[in-house]
């Protein structure tokens, strides 16, 4: 048997992360908070004293995955009752009552603004769960340096929360009000990352381009970060189309470190649906923005998010979405079936499009996007790009992988002396919808 003696001074924690990059970044903050308090990392749930799930509530499917995992953990708790199990993140914030009913064995339930208190919460959890889901508009964790993993790229939270309240979206309810991390803290943190060999930073926020701290707007922040020695590439996600000011487009156009890549969530190509979604822009405004971005940032890659089957979406609305997708020609897109979320403004409207119809629309849209992605990537054949090397390609065989400025995966045969963190010039030989096969130029 694999017996081991727990070391009470250094309890082992296993942290599992679901959801978006912001949750991945939050988990690094959680990790840092716990490490300061004496915790060490466990290799898996088997050797953990504490198991934490950092969860996502964006769609029902995301919550189902976690509920499934919780049923597995219930068995672990049964066989080893001393293990403490905690639910963190957006789902903890969203549905704590329902979750405590479904998983009464939980010891800790902590929302995204409660991570500073985690050691205390885990320590005090006994017969009753320790629950803290207060949202705190002052919490930015600015003073806590997250435990970054290795690698050439680091994701850095620049702002937290969201004030947009799109009718379908749970984020403002689970993440609370918008707040920006002071530029000085970001500069210090990114400086430290650069000193550790990080070459690329991705600034994160649900509406990252709404960043503002005093007089520093997002365009100015990009310029400041570009001045950090050692940082070669800067990206950000997700900007909101309604917040794409000239200062940001300008920084992208003039600052070579800011990469020609922009994720601009469209959600729908129908004005009627955009209004119902309360997105705050029209299709014409979105297309005008795309035009300006493409004119000022040559070679920019555009990606987007689309929801199909929002309440009231008719076939004619869906056709408008496919038409816009064709017209813009996104390099890639994330596409989702609408999922009704409790607490949101659209919740009371319910679902008007059947699951089957949503599936049909989604399948059609994915097929269209695959065509577009392939066409966009094929257009790169013969062109040269500087690629920031990340390491061996997953397919092995001496192949290496990295990203082009447009954030496309480039795969090429490795050569002596080139490794992670180097930038090499490659020429694209062939393309699929997902990657570019290249040779060193
Ligand atoms: N802050 C970003 C995206 C946040 S969530 C933005 O404003 O664009 C990522 C994506 O999930 C969204 O862009 C949207 O396409 C999708 N999404 C959010 N809520 C959803 C819901 N209730 N059902 C289906 N998809 C949803
Ligand atoms: Fe959700 Fe809209 Fe905020 Fe994005 S901008 S996180 S979609 S409410
Ligand atoms: Fe999910 Fe929360 Fe991100 S709801 S998408 S993990 S902000």
């Amino acid at each position: 048997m694999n017996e081991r003696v727990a070391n009470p001074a250094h309890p082992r924690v296993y942290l599992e992360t679901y959801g978006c990059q912001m949750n991945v970044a939050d988990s690094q903050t959680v990790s840092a908070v716990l490490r300061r308090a004496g915790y060490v990392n466990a290799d898996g749930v088997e050797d953990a004293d504490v198991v934490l799930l950092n969860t996502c509530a964006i769609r029902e499917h995301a919550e189902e995955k976690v509920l499934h995992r919780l049923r597995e953990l219930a068995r672990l708790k049964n066989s080893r009752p001393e293990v403490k199990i905690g639910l963190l993140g957006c789902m903890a914030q969203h549905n704590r009552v329902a979750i405590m009913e479904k998983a009464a064995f939980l010891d800790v339930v902590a929302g995204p603004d409660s991570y500073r208190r985690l050691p205390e919460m885990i320590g005090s959890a006994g017969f009753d769960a320790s629950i803290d889901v207060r949202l705190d508009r002052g919490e930015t964790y600015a003073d806590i340096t997250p435990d970054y993993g290795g690698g050439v790229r680091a994701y850095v939270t620049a702002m937290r929360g969201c004030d947009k309240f799109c009718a379908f979206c749970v984020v403002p309810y689970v993440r609370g009000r918008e707040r920006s991390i002071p530029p000085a803290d970001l500069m210090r943190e990114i400086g430290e990352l650069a000193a550790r060999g990080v070459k690329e930073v991705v600034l994160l926020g649900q509406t990252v381009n709404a960043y503002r701290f005093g007089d520093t707007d997002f365009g100015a922040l990009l310029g400041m970060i570009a001045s950090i020695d050692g940082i070669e590439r800067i990206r950000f996600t997700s900007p909101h189309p309604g917040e794409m000011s000239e200062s940001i487009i300008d920084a992208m156009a003039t600052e070579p470190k800011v990469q020609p890549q922009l994720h601009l969530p469209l959600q729908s190509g129908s004005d009627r649906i955009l209004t119902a979604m309360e997105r705050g822009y029209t299709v014409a405004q979105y297309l005008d923005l795309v035009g300006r971005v493409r004119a000022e940032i040559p070679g920019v890659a555009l990606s987007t998010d689309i929801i199909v089957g929002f309440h009231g979406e008719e076939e004619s609305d869906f056709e408008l979405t496919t038409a816009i997708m064709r017209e813009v020609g996104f390099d890639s897109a994330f596409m989702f079936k609408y999922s009704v979320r409790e607490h949101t403004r659209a919740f009371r409207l319910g679902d008007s499009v059947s699951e089957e119809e949503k599936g049909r629309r989604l399948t059609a849209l994915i097929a269209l996007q695959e065509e577009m992605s392939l066409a966009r990537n094929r257009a790169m054949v013969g062109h040269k790009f500087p690629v920031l090397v990340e390491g061996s390609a997953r397919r092995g065989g001496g192949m290496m992988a990295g990203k082009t400025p447009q954030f496309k995966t480039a795969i090429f045969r490795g050569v002596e002396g080139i490794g992670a963190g180097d930038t090499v010039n490659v020429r694209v030989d062939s393309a699929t919808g997902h990657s570019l096969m290249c040779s060193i130029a």
Side-chain angles (χ1 to χ4, degrees):
M1 244 178 83
N2 193 7
E3 279 293 330
R4 67 178 177 79
V5 183
N7 178 351
H10 295 291
R12 292 166 209 240
V13 59
Y14 188 69
L15 174 58
E16 230 167 64
T17 306
Y18 298 79
C20 67
Q21 284 300 340
M22 270 148 272
N23 254 17
V24 175
D26 278 4
S27 282
Q28 294 173 336
T29 296
V30 167
S31 202
V33 167
L34 292 176
R35 193 171 38 74
R36 276 192 195 178
Y39 287 78
V40 295
N41 287 335
D43 297 328
V45 291
E46 301 75 24
D47 74 332
D49 303 300
V50 180
V51 177
L52 302 173
L53 306 185
N54 190 7
T55 62
C56 172
I58 199 81
R59 285 168 290 274
E60 198 179 345
H61 179 67
E63 295 200 335
E64 277 164 0
K65 271 203 325 216
V66 171
L67 290 173
H68 175 79
R69 186 65 172 139
L70 283 175
R71 285 192 288 274
E72 289 173 359
L73 292 177
R75 290 199 285 278
L76 175 79
K77 187 77 178 170
N78 248 333
S79 59
R80 284 173 53 211
E82 73 283 5
V83 180
K84 292 197 174 163
I85 299 185
L87 192 82
L88 318 182
C90 299
M91 201 175 153
Q93 193 72 40
H94 186 219
N95 264 333
R96 55 198 170 273
V97 178
I99 284 160
M100 284 311 290
E101 275 169 18
K102 284 185 181 133
F105 60 83
L106 283 171
D107 298 287
V108 170
V109 177
D113 289 343
S114 313
Y115 299 151
R116 210 178 273 280
R117 286 196 55 232
L118 267 177
E120 197 187 313
M121 291 174 73
I122 296 168
S124 67
F127 186 72
D128 286 325
S130 175
I131 301 177
D132 187 349
V133 288
R134 282 169 298 185
L135 289 172
D136 176 359
R137 61 165 67 220
E139 182 58 278
T140 59
Y141 302 112
D143 56 318
I144 299 173
T145 301
D147 281 351
Y148 290 103
V152 298
R153 179 179 310 115
Y155 291 83
V156 176
T157 301
M159 56 91 70
R160 302 182 67 84
C162 179
D163 284 354
K164 291 276 186 259
F165 290 92
C166 302
F168 53 80
C169 184
V170 82
V171 169
Y173 304 92
V174 297
R175 291 257 164 187
R177 297 292 56 75
E178 202 176 281
R179 62 212 101 127
S180 298
I181 283 83
D185 290 297
L186 289 171
M187 295 294 284
R188 173 186 49 76
E189 196 165 314
I190 296 169
E192 284 169 17
L193 287 167
R196 286 176 37 189
V198 167
K199 304 277 195 237
E200 175 172 307
V201 284
V202 186
L203 300 172
L204 296 178
Q206 284 296 357
T207 51
V208 70
N209 54 341
Y211 179 95
R212 177 165 281 282
F213 195 93
D215 292 337
T216 311
D217 68 359
F218 193 63
L221 181 72
L222 289 172
M224 288 168 75
I225 292 172
S227 72
I228 299 175
D229 284 340
I231 295 300
E232 294 170 10
R233 295 182 170 196
I234 302 167
R235 306 181 191 276
F236 53 90
T237 199
S238 282
H240 188 283
E243 301 275 355
M244 265 321 275
S245 64
E246 274 311 312
S247 108
I248 302 169
I249 300 177
D250 216 52
M252 293 185 75
T254 56
E255 174 46 65
K257 288 186 182 179
V258 182
Q259 299 298 290
Q261 175 219 351
L262 195 60
H263 184 65
L264 270 185
L266 168 64
Q267 313 300 359
S268 169
S270 158
D271 278 338
R272 207 172 65 80
I273 298 299
L274 284 177
T275 303
M277 287 177 162
E278 301 182 56
R279 282 291 287 179
Y281 52 82
T282 61
V283 173
Q285 285 169 330
Y286 184 94
L287 291 177
D288 176 66
L289 174 60
V290 165
R292 276 186 290 136
V293 166
R294 283 193 164 149
E296 291 186 42
I297 309 160
V300 68
L302 295 178
S303 55
T304 199
D305 292 345
I306 302 283
I307 298 176
V308 298
F310 183 66
H311 180 273
E313 187 185 83
E314 303 288 343
E315 182 64 25
S316 54
D317 298 301
F318 175 67
E319 278 165 15
L320 287 169
T321 299
T322 57
I324 299 299
M325 302 270 291
R326 249 183 227 290
E327 181 174 343
V328 175
F330 292 102
D331 291 80
S332 63
F334 297 97
M335 295 155 281
F336 310 100
K337 286 194 266 186
Y338 174 51
S339 171
V340 176
R341 303 279 64 205
E342 211 179 333
H343 305 315
T344 61
R345 291 184 182 170
F347 177 65
R348 62 179 174 80
L349 301 173
D351 250 341
S352 71
V353 182
S354 71
E355 198 52 31
E356 194 186 355
E357 181 54 24
K358 282 182 196 169
R360 193 194 64 76
R361 290 180 193 173
L362 183 66
T363 307
L365 209 59
I366 290 173
L368 169 63
Q369 184 52 44
E370 277 179 3
E371 229 178 83
M372 311 294 298
S373 296
L374 183 62
R376 298 282 304 170
N377 285 356
R378 284 214 174 128
M380 315 246 150
V381 172
H383 291 255
K384 278 194 200 169
F385 297 100
V387 165
L388 175 60
V389 181
E390 288 168 26
S392 300
R394 241 181 278 158
R395 64 187 71 188
M399 303 303 277
M400 304 204 80
K403 290 281 194 275
T404 68
Q406 289 77 8
F407 209 61
K408 293 181 187 279
T409 300
I411 297 175
F412 58 95
R413 181 158 299 287
V415 291
E416 195 68 27
I418 287 179
D422 295 333
T423 295
V424 288
N425 286 314
V426 302
R427 179 180 286 103
V428 182
D429 299 323
S430 64
T432 69
H434 302 279
S435 48
L436 307 174
M437 297 302 301
C438 309
S439 29
I440 291 179

